[in-house]
Each structure stands twice: as structure tokens, then as C-alpha cells.
Amino acid sequence: MERLTDARIAEIARDNGIHPAALLAVKLVESGTKSGFLSSGRPQILFEGHVFYKYLKANVKSLNMTQLCAQFPNIIYPKWDISKYLGGEKEWTRLEKAREINVKYANYAASWGMFQVMGFNYRKCGCESVGEMVKRMEESQEQQLLLTLNFLKNSGLIEPLKKRQWATFANGYNGAGYAQNKYHLKLQAAYNNYLKTFPA
């Protein structure tokens, strides 16, 4: 699989009016130096069991959520729990187990690719279905980036990123707990570091 270079990310950033160092900072904070794909060729994902729980409970009334939580404690739980993460390929094991229960909401509950966009954001990514989003995330790193740019534009996050308003961007992209995770400070630090290579 062809790797999306920092230079190509910078070029795409400029085409969208974003400072290259700002877009590269988001990538670094979200997926480090990982490529967006695992060695197996599948996209990087992180499965969020509390999100799976939320969508199942709201939309599949026939399910006994208490029973499911007891039966599948590592993929269905009511609140975010960092201890449930297994990382790498093992996240796919979690996703595949969740897909046996409900494919659509399992895909909703994973964050996808090098920018880790949640599946339930498929419409903001410009897709007709979460299945289309997953298929495109599986195609290439460039597709992962283009989907993310759609998400940023349709979520009102492109302007705070352009203006490097890190706290505002972090709140929208990472959630209300961003400060606790120092997400905005990590973005600022990564941006400052990339400025050495991409000053403009």
C-alpha cells in the first residue's frame, strides 16, 4: 500500500487553505507515526464499546442490554473504559465480534484510519452509509485523508483548524474531555514541531 507522505499531506492541506503543520499535527496526535493501516493491510481502528452500547440501546429494542454487557464485557459497556482497549490487530477482533451482534452499529462504534474518525460520522465524511465509509477507509491513506477533510468541513472544524484555535478544535474533534487529556496542548506542540519542516 502506497504511503501518504508528509509532503503530500502538506500539499492537500494547502489546497484546502489549511497550514500544512496544522493538518500534520492532527495526524500525529491521532495516530502517531502509524500509517493509517496495520501490517495486515486493514485500517487502523479503535473500537469503542460504550458507543456500541449507546446505539444498540437506542435502536435495537429487542436486545437485553444487561445480558449483553454480562456476556460481552469487552465490547458492550455503558461508559468509556480505557482498560477495554487491546490495540492493533486485536481491535479488529473486538470489531468482528461486535459485527456478529450488529454490523452497522459495530462499524459506527469504531474510529477509522490515521485521523481516527468515528463511523457514526459517515454522513459528515460525505458517505451515503457507514458501509461506504468503511470501504473507502480500506482503500488508501489518501482516501482516509479526504474523508477526514469532508468531516472537518461538515462539522464546522475547518475554520478553527485554519486559525490554529487548538482548544476550540480539540473540543469539537476529541470531545469535552479534551483538556483532561491535554489534547489541545499536544496539538500545539506537534504543530510547533512541524513548523520546522513546513514553515508555510
PDB file of all heavy atoms in Angstrom, residues 22 48 58 64 81 105 162 174 187:
ATOM      1  N   ALA A  22      -0.501  22.310  10.657  1.00  0.00           N
ATOM      2  CA  ALA A  22      -1.712  22.105  11.458  1.00  0.00           C
ATOM      3  C   ALA A  22      -2.346  20.746  11.150  1.00  0.00           C
ATOM      4  O   ALA A  22      -2.713  19.999  12.065  1.00  0.00           O
ATOM      5  CB  ALA A  22      -2.711  23.230  11.204  1.00  0.00           C
ATOM      6  N   GLU A  48     -14.958   1.344  20.254  1.00  0.00           N
ATOM      7  CA  GLU A  48     -15.495   1.999  21.453  1.00  0.00           C
ATOM      8  C   GLU A  48     -16.778   1.296  21.887  1.00  0.00           C
ATOM      9  O   GLU A  48     -17.860   1.529  21.339  1.00  0.00           O
ATOM     10  CB  GLU A  48     -15.774   3.477  21.151  1.00  0.00           C
ATOM     11  CG  GLU A  48     -14.557   4.272  20.666  1.00  0.00           C
ATOM     12  CD  GLU A  48     -13.562   4.589  21.785  1.00  0.00           C
ATOM     13  OE1 GLU A  48     -13.736   4.088  22.917  1.00  0.00           O
ATOM     14  OE2 GLU A  48     -12.605   5.322  21.514  1.00  0.00           O
ATOM     15  N   ALA A  58     -30.427   2.379  21.892  1.00  0.00           N
ATOM     16  CA  ALA A  58     -31.368   3.344  21.318  1.00  0.00           C
ATOM     17  C   ALA A  58     -32.147   2.788  20.129  1.00  0.00           C
ATOM     18  O   ALA A  58     -33.276   3.212  19.871  1.00  0.00           O
ATOM     19  CB  ALA A  58     -30.622   4.603  20.890  1.00  0.00           C
ATOM     20  N   ASN A  64     -31.539  -7.393  25.163  1.00  0.00           N
ATOM     21  CA  ASN A  64     -31.419  -7.263  26.614  1.00  0.00           C
ATOM     22  C   ASN A  64     -30.022  -6.735  26.903  1.00  0.00           C
ATOM     23  O   ASN A  64     -29.044  -7.489  26.887  1.00  0.00           O
ATOM     24  CB  ASN A  64     -31.636  -8.620  27.285  1.00  0.00           C
ATOM     25  CG  ASN A  64     -31.582  -8.534  28.802  1.00  0.00           C
ATOM     26  OD1 ASN A  64     -30.816  -7.763  29.378  1.00  0.00           O
ATOM     27  ND2 ASN A  64     -32.391  -9.346  29.466  1.00  0.00           N
ATOM     28  N   ASP A  81     -14.238   3.195  28.839  1.00  0.00           N
ATOM     29  CA  ASP A  81     -13.329   2.482  29.737  1.00  0.00           C
ATOM     30  C   ASP A  81     -12.045   2.165  28.987  1.00  0.00           C
ATOM     31  O   ASP A  81     -12.012   1.274  28.135  1.00  0.00           O
ATOM     32  CB  ASP A  81     -14.005   1.204  30.236  1.00  0.00           C
ATOM     33  CG  ASP A  81     -13.175   0.457  31.267  1.00  0.00           C
ATOM     34  OD1 ASP A  81     -11.988   0.785  31.449  1.00  0.00           O
ATOM     35  OD2 ASP A  81     -13.717  -0.478  31.883  1.00  0.00           O
ATOM     36  N   TYR A 105     -24.005  -0.926  13.600  1.00  0.00           N
ATOM     37  CA  TYR A 105     -23.636  -0.188  14.808  1.00  0.00           C
ATOM     38  C   TYR A 105     -22.240  -0.546  15.308  1.00  0.00           C
ATOM     39  O   TYR A 105     -21.596   0.266  15.974  1.00  0.00           O
ATOM     40  CB  TYR A 105     -24.698  -0.370  15.887  1.00  0.00           C
ATOM     41  CG  TYR A 105     -26.033   0.203  15.458  1.00  0.00           C
ATOM     42  CD1 TYR A 105     -27.205  -0.542  15.559  1.00  0.00           C
ATOM     43  CD2 TYR A 105     -26.116   1.482  14.908  1.00  0.00           C
ATOM     44  CE1 TYR A 105     -28.419  -0.021  15.137  1.00  0.00           C
ATOM     45  CE2 TYR A 105     -27.320   2.010  14.477  1.00  0.00           C
ATOM     46  CZ  TYR A 105     -28.467   1.256  14.592  1.00  0.00           C
ATOM     47  OH  TYR A 105     -29.659   1.775  14.159  1.00  0.00           O
ATOM     48  N   LYS A 162      -7.847  25.998  10.635  1.00  0.00           N
ATOM     49  CA  LYS A 162      -7.133  27.003   9.831  1.00  0.00           C
ATOM     50  C   LYS A 162      -6.540  28.106  10.716  1.00  0.00           C
ATOM     51  O   LYS A 162      -5.446  28.601  10.459  1.00  0.00           O
ATOM     52  CB  LYS A 162      -8.089  27.628   8.806  1.00  0.00           C
ATOM     53  CG  LYS A 162      -8.438  26.727   7.636  1.00  0.00           C
ATOM     54  CD  LYS A 162      -9.391  27.445   6.686  1.00  0.00           C
ATOM     55  CE  LYS A 162      -9.728  26.596   5.481  1.00  0.00           C
ATOM     56  NZ  LYS A 162     -10.650  27.282   4.554  1.00  0.00           N
ATOM     57  N   ASN A 174     -12.186  16.006  19.609  1.00  0.00           N
ATOM     58  CA  ASN A 174     -11.845  14.993  20.608  1.00  0.00           C
ATOM     59  C   ASN A 174     -12.885  14.870  21.714  1.00  0.00           C
ATOM     60  O   ASN A 174     -12.889  13.900  22.465  1.00  0.00           O
ATOM     61  CB  ASN A 174     -10.463  15.307  21.202  1.00  0.00           C
ATOM     62  CG  ASN A 174      -9.878  14.190  22.015  1.00  0.00           C
ATOM     63  OD1 ASN A 174      -9.693  14.310  23.223  1.00  0.00           O
ATOM     64  ND2 ASN A 174      -9.576  13.078  21.370  1.00  0.00           N
ATOM     65  N   LEU A 187      -1.620  19.073  20.360  1.00  0.00           N
ATOM     66  CA  LEU A 187      -1.738  19.635  19.008  1.00  0.00           C
ATOM     67  C   LEU A 187      -0.798  20.817  18.826  1.00  0.00           C
ATOM     68  O   LEU A 187      -0.097  20.914  17.807  1.00  0.00           O
ATOM     69  CB  LEU A 187      -3.179  20.075  18.748  1.00  0.00           C
ATOM     70  CG  LEU A 187      -4.209  18.988  18.486  1.00  0.00           C
ATOM     71  CD1 LEU A 187      -5.612  19.577  18.487  1.00  0.00           C
ATOM     72  CD2 LEU A 187      -3.941  18.273  17.158  1.00  0.00           C
TER      73      LEU A 187
END
